[in-house]
């Protein structure tokens, strides 16, 4: 029976005229009411803006942000909700590698503090780095489902991708999934 669920859409509807800090503060509106934010909420928003490297653009209009900046703002709004469950739709798709890792580290920190995280991701390597459980779907059907390590190292994973991937294991034990250029189907 969850009462606090945060959703991070891939294509959000953005209110015109709202700056980054105001938009992130929307995540606290359910708790405080819009325009009546508590001191605690204002501190949390400032902390999350700093963590997500958004402080310098706090007064910039959300509609003027790049795709990657907007994605970080969406995640910041979800983080300030302090949700029990966070649902993310491709949370790193518009981010450069540095911001992908930084964002996923923040999300992983939430997971470690007890928040349930459900996310869609097309980057299997990133999924393998952060997920406890992976579900591979194709045409709306579940092909594989289980602990991340088991799914990544299963013989069925390669066949799920028509044998067009290779799984490498780095010295630190992390898997890297690489598309086979010659096997790629256009």
């Amino acid at each position: 029976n969850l009462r606090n669920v945060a959703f991070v859409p891939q294509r959000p509807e953005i209110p015109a005229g709202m700056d980054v800090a105001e938009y992130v503060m929307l995540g606290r509106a359910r708790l405080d009411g819009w325009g009546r934010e508590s001191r605690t909420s204002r501190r949390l928003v400032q902390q999350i803006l700093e963590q997500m490297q958004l402080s310098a653009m706090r007064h910039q209009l959300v509609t003027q942000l790049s795709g990657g900046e907007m994605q970080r703002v969406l995640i910041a709004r979800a983080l300030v909700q302090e949700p029990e469950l966070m649902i993310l739709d491709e949370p790193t798709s518009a981010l450069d590698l540095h911001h992908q890792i930084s964002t996923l580290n923040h999300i992983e920190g939430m997971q470690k503090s007890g928040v349930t995280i459900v996310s869609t991701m097309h980057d299997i390597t990133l999924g393998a780095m952060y997920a406890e459980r992976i579900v591979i779907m194709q045409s709306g059907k579940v092909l594989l489902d289980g602990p991340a390590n088991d799914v990544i190292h299963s013989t069925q994973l390669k066949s799920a991708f028509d044998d067009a991937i290779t799984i490498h294991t780095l010295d630190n034990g992390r898997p890297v999934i690489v598309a086979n250029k010659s096997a790629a189907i256009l």
Side-chain angles (χ1 to χ4, degrees):
N1 188 1
L2 299 172
R3 290 182 303 247
N4 190 355
V5 177
F7 175 58
V8 178
Q10 198 169 13
R11 290 179 198 89
E13 296 214 13
I14 305 299
M18 189 168 273
D19 71 26
V20 168
E22 290 169 327
Y23 188 74
V24 172
M25 187 61 79
L26 280 176
R28 301 299 290 181
R30 184 188 64 77
L31 189 69
D32 297 341
W34 181 245
R36 297 190 314 264
E37 297 83 14
S38 68
R39 184 175 291 130
T40 300
S41 290
R42 287 192 298 274
R43 270 197 306 266
L44 179 61
V45 166
Q46 181 57 39
Q47 176 188 343
I48 297 294
L49 288 172
E50 288 170 12
Q51 288 174 357
M52 296 301 292
Q53 299 169 345
L54 295 166
S55 290
M57 59 185 73
R58 68 178 294 119
H59 298 298
Q60 190 171 340
L61 291 178
V62 177
T63 52
Q64 296 175 341
L65 300 176
S66 71
E69 291 166 343
M70 183 67 229
Q71 202 147 20
R72 289 178 12 235
V73 168
L74 289 169
I75 291 167
R77 188 194 66 190
L79 291 171
V80 301
Q81 273 185 248
E82 299 180 299
E84 298 168 66
L85 169 66
M86 185 183 299
I87 301 170
L88 303 117
D89 185 9
E90 285 293 320
T92 58
S93 63
L95 302 178
D96 62 31
L97 184 59
H98 170 75
H99 286 114
Q100 284 180 357
I101 300 303
S102 173
T103 298
L104 290 172
N105 285 342
H106 289 302
I107 293 167
E108 182 180 51
M110 290 188 70
Q111 183 268 329
K112 287 180 178 174
S113 71
V115 177
T116 299
I117 308 290
V118 176
S119 179
T120 61
M121 295 183 86
H122 285 103
D123 187 324
I124 304 169
T125 297
L126 277 178
M129 282 175 61
Y130 289 93
E132 288 182 1
R133 178 177 171 187
I134 293 179
V135 177
I136 303 286
M137 297 183 73
Q138 186 176 54
S139 302
K141 294 187 174 138
V142 174
L143 297 178
L144 294 164
D145 178 5
N149 198 45
D150 294 353
V151 169
I152 294 303
H153 293 100
S154 73
T155 56
Q156 296 92 351
L157 182 67
K158 286 179 79 170
S159 62
F161 287 90
D162 300 321
D163 293 317
I165 61 170
T166 303
I167 296 120
H168 300 279
T169 304
L170 302 178
D171 291 341
N172 64 7
R174 290 194 188 271
V176 176
I177 294 88
V178 179
N180 300 333
K181 183 177 178 183
S182 61
I185 300 170
L186 300 177

